[in-house]
Amino acid sequence: MQVKLYDTTLRDGSQREGISFTVADKLKIAQKLDELGIHYIEGGWPGSNPKDSEFFVQVKSLKLKNAKMVAFGSTRRPKVKAEADATLKQLFEAGTEYVTLVGKSSARQVTQVLETTLEENLAMITDSIEYLRSKCIKVFLDAEHFFDGYKDNPEYSIQVLQAAEKAGAEGVVLCDTNGGSLPEEIAEAVEAVTKSVNICVGIHSHNDTEMAVANSIAALKAGASQIQGTINGFGERCGNANMCSIIPILKLKMGIDCITDSQLKLLTDTSHYISELANLVSEPFLPYVGASAFSHKAGLHVSGLSKWSGSYQHIEPELVGNRQRLLVSELAGRSNSVQRAKAIGINLTPDSKEVKDLLQQVKKMESMGFQYENAEASFDLLVNRTQAGYAAPFELIDFMVVVEKQRRPSAMRSQDEMMAEGIVKVRVDGEVMHTVAEGNGPINALDAALRKGLCQFYPELSSVHLSDYKVRILEQTSGTDALVRVLIESTDGESTWHTVGASPNIIEASWLALSDSFEYWLITKKCKNCKKQ
C-alpha cells in the first residue's frame, strides 16, 4: 500500500498561538522536511501576507530531493470569474507544480458562512480547478468541514468531491476542520467516498478531541492514501494530526514504507529542530520523539529492561532517533542506579554496599530539594564520587557575590544600572586561584569568575556555556525564604547535559548546579590539558 505524506507545518502549523516563523525559518523547515522524506510540503498562502509571498520566491532556490512544494489558497469568490480572481492569480504566480484549494463541502457552511447557493459553490470549485489545470498545475481540493457536512447532508458533500474529480483534481482531502469526529465516523465516511470517486482520497484531521492521529489511521484503513499533518501536531486551537506519531505508526506498526529507515532515524531531531525554530520548548512527553518517551523510573521496569529491551517499551528508541533514559529518584530501585552507572562505565552490583549507600545518598539529597530525574549529569557525579580514589578536577574553597545598584542623577533615574561582582576561590592541583569577575547578575558573575580561574588550567572549558536556567520554588507557602531548586542546562556545542542544585539560598543552589556542570564536563570530556581526571 502506498501512502503519501503531506506536511502543512508551514501553513496550518504556523497558525498555532505563539508561532511566527520568519522566511528564513520556513526555508530551513522545508529543507528539514525534505530530508525526512515528506512527499508534499505546503508552504503557505501566497498573497495572504508578505512572508508567504517571499517564501515562494526564495524556495525555488532549494534543491529539494524528495518533496513537492505546494501552494495553498481558496477557490474563486462567489460571482467572480476564475481568471479575474486575485487569489487564483497569486497561486499561479507562486510557480509550484501543485496547488491545494480549500472549498466548502458542508451545505450548511455554504449557505450560512459563505452566504451563497449550493450550486454556486459547486461552480466555484469547478471553475477554480479547471483554471489552474489550464495552467498545467496539479490540484488537490481540501474539502473543508467535510465530516460535519457529511453528517448533515451526505449527498451534497459527496457531490462536491465528484465535481472536483470531474474538473480534473488530482485528489480530494477530507477535512475534520472542527476536530470533533470519532474514528468510526471517519471510517464510515471515507468508505463512502472511496466508492464515489476514483481519485486519491486524503485525510486532514484536527485534534480538538485528542483523536487526530487515530482519525488519520482510521481514514487510511478505510481507503485514504494521503495523510496530512504537522510536525509535533502544531496547529490552531488544539493542533493538527501529529506527523511525528503518524510516520512511525505507519512504518513500524503497519509495515508501510512511507519513508526509509535512515529517514525515520531523523524524526526526533526534526521534531526538536522545528520546535526550536518555533521558539517553543520541545514537549518531553510526546510519543516517539519526546525526551521522556523512553524514560524509565520504576525499578521493576529498569530491571526488566536490563534483561530484555522490549519488556517495557514498544519499540527500540534508536529507530526514531531517540534514546532510552533510566531515571534515578528516591522512588527508583537499585536496578536504576546499576544501569545508569553501567552507562557511564562503572560496574556496580545490585546488592553491593556501594549501591545501598548511593540510594541512601539520593534519598537524602532529594529530601533536601534535589531531583535527579532531569539532572543525569549531577547523578553521574554522585556515582563517580562513591568510587575509591576519585579526585575532583577542582575544589571550592569559598565564593562571594556583591550586587550593587549604581545610582544616576535624579533626572536620569530610569537609567540606574544593577552590577554584580563574583569572587571565587578554588583549588586546582594544590594551587589556589582567587578570581573576580563582573556580570549582569549574580549567577553570571559567579560563572565568569569560576571560568576565569579554571580556564588557566583547563583552556578547553571555554567552549562550555549555560544554555538554559530554571528555578523552581519548592515550598510556595514559605514566601521568600522558601527552598528553591535550580536546574541548569549546559552545552559545549556538541553535547548537552543537565545539573541540579537546591538550597534556601538561590545563589547557593545556582552555584551547586553550575559547579556540577563544569566538573561533569571535565571528567567526561577528559580534555588534553586537564591535570585531574
Side-chain angles (χ1 to χ4, degrees):
M1 180 181 184
Q2 278 198 334
V3 176
K4 297 296 185 180
L5 304 173
Y6 183 114
D7 186 275
T8 181
T9 302
L10 298 180
R11 202 270 305 173
D12 228 352
S14 68
Q15 293 176 187
R16 169 173 164 156
E17 184 177 355
I19 289 182
S20 179
F21 293 128
T22 65
V23 174
D25 291 338
K26 295 185 68 165
L27 292 168
K28 292 175 183 176
I29 291 171
Q31 191 73 61
K32 206 74 170 175
L33 294 174
D34 180 61
E35 293 168 4
L36 183 62
I38 297 297
H39 302 106
Y40 302 103
I41 300 173
E42 191 173 270
W45 187 321
S48 67
N49 61 79
K51 281 194 296 187
D52 279 8
S53 297
E54 180 63 23
F55 170 78
F56 281 103
V57 172
Q58 294 196 29
V59 78
K60 294 173 185 176
S61 64
L62 292 185
K63 306 298 182 183
L64 301 181
K65 297 179 180 179
N66 302 297
K68 299 289 187 182
M69 189 57 58
V70 184
F72 179 90
S74 62
T75 61
R76 69 163 175 83
R77 291 168 294 162
K79 300 179 181 180
V80 174
K81 291 184 178 181
E83 56 269 23
D85 187 86
T87 295
L88 293 179
K89 181 181 179 183
Q90 289 161 342
L91 287 171
F92 166 65
E93 292 174 348
T96 57
E97 181 182 350
Y98 287 83
V99 161
T100 292
L101 290 175
V102 59
K104 298 289 187 186
S105 58
S106 161
R108 190 173 181 182
Q109 288 278 337
V110 171
T111 57
Q112 294 192 18
V113 178
L114 200 55
E115 295 182 323
T116 192
T117 66
L118 301 184
E119 293 74 17
E120 174 65 4
N121 181 59
L122 293 174
M124 291 160 58
I125 292 168
T126 298
D127 294 348
S128 300
I129 294 173
E130 289 180 344
Y131 170 78
L132 292 173
R133 290 296 297 124
S134 72
K135 303 292 185 181
C136 298
I137 296 173
K138 297 173 183 177
V139 182
F140 294 119
L141 176 73
D142 263 11
E144 191 182 33
H145 295 284
F146 176 81
F147 294 98
D148 293 333
Y150 185 81
K151 293 174 190 176
D152 291 339
N153 187 338
E155 292 79 10
Y156 184 75
S157 294
I158 295 292
Q159 193 178 356
V160 166
L161 307 182
Q162 292 172 331
E165 179 182 19
K166 186 177 180 180
E170 295 284 312
V172 288
V173 183
L174 314 182
C175 301
D176 187 26
T177 309
N178 291 349
S181 299
L182 300 178
E184 58 269 24
E185 296 170 328
I186 297 286
E188 178 185 350
V190 172
E191 286 176 3
V193 169
T194 56
K195 295 175 183 177
S196 304
V197 298
N198 296 306
I199 53 176
C200 164
V201 175
I203 179 69
H204 179 113
S205 298
H206 284 257
N207 203 36
D208 297 76
T209 57
E210 198 67 34
M211 292 284 183
V213 171
N215 285 342
S216 299
I217 300 304
L220 182 69
K221 289 184 175 181
S225 58
Q226 183 194 104
I227 295 184
Q228 296 195 0
T230 62
I231 297 298
N232 300 324
F234 292 162
E236 196 165 18
R237 304 188 313 275
C238 304
N240 288 41
N242 186 354
M243 198 65 87
C244 294
S245 294
I246 289 170
I247 291 173
I249 288 173
L250 295 180
K251 189 161 175 65
L252 302 178
K253 303 297 184 180
M254 301 176 69
I256 299 171
D257 284 328
C258 50
I259 61 175
T260 66
D261 293 349
S262 59
Q263 288 168 337
L264 185 63
K265 291 179 181 178
L266 302 175
L267 190 65
T268 297
D269 176 67
T270 301
S271 165
H272 297 179
Y273 180 84
I274 292 177
S275 288
E276 184 68 25
L277 286 180
N279 199 28
L280 296 172
V281 176
S282 294
E283 170 54 57
F285 302 109
L286 282 178
Y288 295 101
V289 297
S292 298
F294 301 96
S295 62
H296 304 276
K297 182 173 179 179
L300 180 65
H301 290 201
V302 175
S303 178
L305 285 165
S306 69
K307 302 167 186 174
W308 174 34
S309 63
S311 58
Y312 286 98
Q313 55 191 27
H314 65 111
I315 66 164
E316 295 296 331
E318 292 77 15
L319 293 173
V320 292
N322 210 335
R323 67 183 181 92
Q324 183 187 92
R325 294 173 61 231
L326 305 180
L327 307 180
V328 178
S329 76
E330 61 185 356
L331 301 177
R334 297 179 184 181
S335 296
N336 298 54
S337 299
V338 171
Q339 292 301 317
R340 181 64 199 173
K342 183 179 179 180
I344 60 173
I346 298 176
N347 292 319
L348 302 175
T349 56
D351 296 325
S352 66
K353 184 178 183 300
E354 286 176 298
V355 171
K356 293 177 183 177
D357 291 346
L358 182 60
L359 286 177
Q360 285 301 117
Q361 180 71 359
V362 169
K363 292 177 181 180
K364 177 184 176 182
M365 299 299 283
E366 293 210 349
S367 70
M368 298 166 57
F370 289 76
Q371 187 180 67
Y372 296 100
E373 289 182 19
N374 295 308
E376 291 128 321
S378 285
F379 177 76
D380 290 352
L381 286 173
L382 282 184
V383 176
N384 277 282
R385 290 164 185 162
T386 65
Q387 301 302 293
Y390 174 75
F394 64 90
E395 176 190 357
L396 169 69
I397 299 175
D398 194 10
F399 74 84
M400 182 172 66
V401 178
V402 177
V403 179
E404 178 185 4
K405 185 171 185 178
Q406 296 179 338
R407 305 289 290 180
R408 304 292 188 191
S410 57
M412 302 171 61
R413 190 62 51 84
S414 62
Q415 299 179 26
D416 288 354
E417 294 181 358
M418 297 293 294
M419 185 197 75
E421 185 177 76
I423 305 165
V424 173
K425 285 185 183 179
V426 291
R427 182 180 289 114
V428 180
D429 200 24
E431 184 175 344
V432 175
M433 303 298 299
H434 186 181
T435 54
V436 181
E438 292 183 352
N440 57 16
I443 313 308
N444 181 237
L446 275 179
D447 181 11
L450 179 59
R451 190 185 300 271
K452 188 175 181 181
L454 294 181
C455 281
Q456 297 180 48
F457 290 84
Y458 314 121
E460 292 91 341
L461 195 63
S462 61
S463 67
V464 175
H465 68 272
L466 184 151
S467 53
D468 198 8
Y469 174 87
K470 297 185 179 74
V471 179
R472 182 179 177 187
I473 298 173
L474 302 181
E475 301 165 330
Q476 296 182 0
T477 59
S478 299
T480 55
D481 62 344
L483 188 67
V484 298
R485 179 188 301 140
V486 170
L487 185 69
I488 284 179
E489 179 183 275
S490 304
T491 183
D492 58 4
E494 297 180 358
S495 57
T496 299
W497 60 98
H498 299 84
T499 51
V500 66
S503 170
N505 186 312
I506 189 173
I507 294 178
E508 181 184 27
S510 302
W511 166 263
L512 292 170
L514 182 65
S515 59
D516 266 13
S517 174
F518 287 175
E519 183 177 345
Y520 174 81
W521 188 86
L522 289 171
I523 69 169
T524 55
K525 294 299 181 180
K526 295 181 172 56
C527 57
K528 60 184 179 182
N529 291 329
C530 292
K531 298 182 179 180
K532 291 286 185 182
Q533 297 296 328

